[in-house]
């Protein structure tokens, strides 16, 4: 990989992004299988030389209709302030944004 050539770097970035997507899919499948095995064995935690896995439960919380209405109102107010430019910029961060190449359209006959 030529780190002085933007085309070479962008090509490698595309490869990495594709590899990441594949790894995310593989990770989900493996985690699902591990969860099934832990459940089958009645275990909440398993340790090996490779890693330790454990089941973790998270509660979904509902704070009631009043708070949900307030959250919706706040969200609408933030959007309005954004639209009107009624805010103060306190800092700016710059990052590189990756967009996958567009698939060329196939002409239909």
């Amino acid at each position: 990989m030529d780190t002085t050539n933007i085309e070479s770097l962008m090509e490698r970035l595309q490869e990495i992004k594709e590899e990441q997507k594949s790894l995310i899919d593989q990770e989900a499948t493996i985690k699902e299988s591990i969860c099934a095995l832990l459940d089958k064995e009645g275990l909440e935690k398993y340790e090996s030389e490779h890693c330790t896995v454990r089941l973790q439960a998270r509660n979904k919380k509902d704070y009631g209709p009043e708070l949900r209405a307030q959250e919706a109102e706040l969200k609408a107010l933030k959007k309005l302030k954004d639209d009107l430019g009624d805010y103060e910029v306190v800092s700016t961060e710059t990052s590189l944004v990756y967009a996958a190449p567009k698939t060329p359209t196939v002409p239909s006959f």
Side-chain angles (χ1 to χ4, degrees), residues 3-47:
T3 59
T4 62
N5 180 307
I6 194 166
E7 287 293 326
S8 172
L9 292 169
M10 290 175 67
E11 180 180 3
R12 182 61 186 133
L13 180 60
Q14 179 186 4
E15 292 169 355
I16 290 168
K17 289 297 189 179
E18 290 169 0
E19 290 168 13
Q20 284 176 335
K21 184 182 179 329
S22 173
L23 289 173
I24 288 169
D25 293 344
Q26 290 177 49
E27 179 184 13
T29 301
I30 289 171
K31 282 182 171 180
E32 204 174 281
S33 297
I34 290 173
C35 284
L37 288 170
L38 289 174
D39 187 48
K40 180 180 174 184
E41 297 296 322
L43 300 171
E44 289 187 16
K45 181 177 179 180
Y46 187 85
E47 297 181 46

Side-chain angles (χ1 to χ4, degrees), residues 39-106:
D39 187 48
K40 180 180 174 184
E41 297 296 322
L43 300 171
E44 289 187 16
K45 181 177 179 180
Y46 187 85
E47 297 181 46
S48 77
E49 65 184 63
H50 305 288
C51 64
T52 299
V53 293
R54 64 183 172 83
L55 297 176
Q56 177 176 309
R58 292 193 180 206
N59 296 325
K60 289 186 178 181
K61 300 174 184 174
D62 181 6
Y63 296 102
E66 184 179 340
L67 186 59
R68 282 194 307 271
Q70 289 174 344
E71 286 177 325
E73 187 178 332
L74 178 60
K75 184 177 180 180
L77 181 59
K78 280 181 162 180
K79 182 180 180 338
L80 178 61
K81 284 187 166 274
D82 274 346
D83 291 347
L84 296 174
D86 187 11
Y87 55 85
E88 177 185 344
V89 176
V90 293
S91 68
T92 302
E93 294 179 10
T94 302
S95 62
L96 183 69
V97 177
Y98 172 81
K102 295 180 181 173
T103 307
T105 56
V106 178

